[in-house]
Amino acid sequence: RDDLLAAWEWAREHHPALTATLAITLDPLLVTQGPEELHRRVLLETLALTTLEPSLRIDLLLSLGRVDAIRGRFREALGPFEQALRLAQANEADSRIGWSHAFLCFTLRPLGRYDEARAHGLRALELAKTTRDHRLVAMGEQALGRLAHAEGDLNLAKAAQARAQAAAVL
C-alpha cells in the first residue's frame, strides 16, 4: 500500500495519466487498510484531474460511492453512484452502467426506496446477462435478494442468494 501510495503521489505531480490507474489499484487496499480520510483524499484528488478518460472517472466515482456505502452512509453514496450512472450512460459503457445500477440497488434499499432499488437491480441483471458478466450477475442477484429480504419475502431472497452464489462460482 505504501509503495503504491508513493507512486500515486509521484504520478499526480509528474504523470497525471497514470494517477487514475494507480488510484483504482489503491482502492481495494485502502478499503481494507485505510484510513478512510486517505482513501477519500486519493479518490477526490484524482477525480479533480480534468484529463481523465470517462471510464476511469466512472470507476473512481463508483469507488467513492463505496467508501460511504460500506460505512452505512447511503445518502452520501447516492451522489457518486448517480454521477457514475449518468456518465456511463452518456458514454454507452454497458458494463459500467450495470455496475452503477447494482450499486444503486444496494444503496436505495436501506433508504426504504424499494421500487427504485428493484428497478436498478433488474436493470443491472439485464445488462449483466447481455454483457455476460458473471460477477455483475452475482452482485445483481445479491442486491435483489437483500431487497426481497427487506420486504419480507424470504423465499425470493433465498432463491436470489442461491443464484448469486451460482453466478459467483462461474
Side-chain angles (χ1 to χ4, degrees), residues 1-159:
R1 180 199 81 161
D2 292 338
D3 290 343
L4 281 170
L5 189 57
W8 174 82
E9 294 275 0
W10 176 88
R12 206 181 54 178
E13 298 295 322
H14 304 294
H15 199 291
L18 182 58
T19 306
T21 302
L22 287 166
I24 290 166
T25 302
L26 271 164
D27 179 51
L29 294 172
L30 292 173
V31 165
T32 58
Q33 298 177 21
E36 178 187 350
E37 299 79 28
L38 174 63
H39 194 181
R40 187 177 299 284
R41 181 175 72 85
V42 166
L43 294 171
L44 289 172
E45 288 181 20
T46 306
L47 278 164
L49 297 172
T50 58
T51 58
L52 288 177
E53 294 177 26
S55 61
L56 293 173
R57 186 170 298 282
I58 295 163
D59 291 344
L60 290 164
L61 286 165
L62 292 174
S63 294
L64 185 59
R66 282 192 309 264
V67 168
D68 286 322
I70 287 169
R71 289 165 179 82
R73 295 188 300 259
F74 301 108
R75 283 193 207 315
E76 292 85 351
L78 279 178
F81 289 151
E82 289 170 339
Q83 287 177 45
L85 177 59
R86 284 191 301 274
L87 188 55
Q89 288 171 328
N91 287 278
E92 299 179 10
D94 282 349
S95 177
R96 286 176 173 87
I97 293 170
W99 283 99
S100 299
H101 280 298
F103 283 121
L104 281 165
C105 180
F106 266 117
T107 304
L108 290 165
R109 175 193 47 84
L111 296 175
R113 294 166 60 180
Y114 295 164
D115 291 338
E116 289 174 77
R118 183 176 299 97
H120 284 291
L122 292 172
R123 184 69 178 126
L125 271 183
E126 179 184 315
L127 288 167
K129 291 173 183 172
T130 301
T131 59
R132 298 176 189 208
D133 185 339
H134 298 295
R135 288 179 49 233
L136 183 53
V137 169
M139 186 165 169
E141 290 287 6
Q142 185 180 21
L144 288 168
R146 288 185 176 194
L147 176 61
H149 183 264
E151 293 178 313
D153 191 336
L154 299 183
N155 289 329
L156 185 59
K158 217 170 140 182

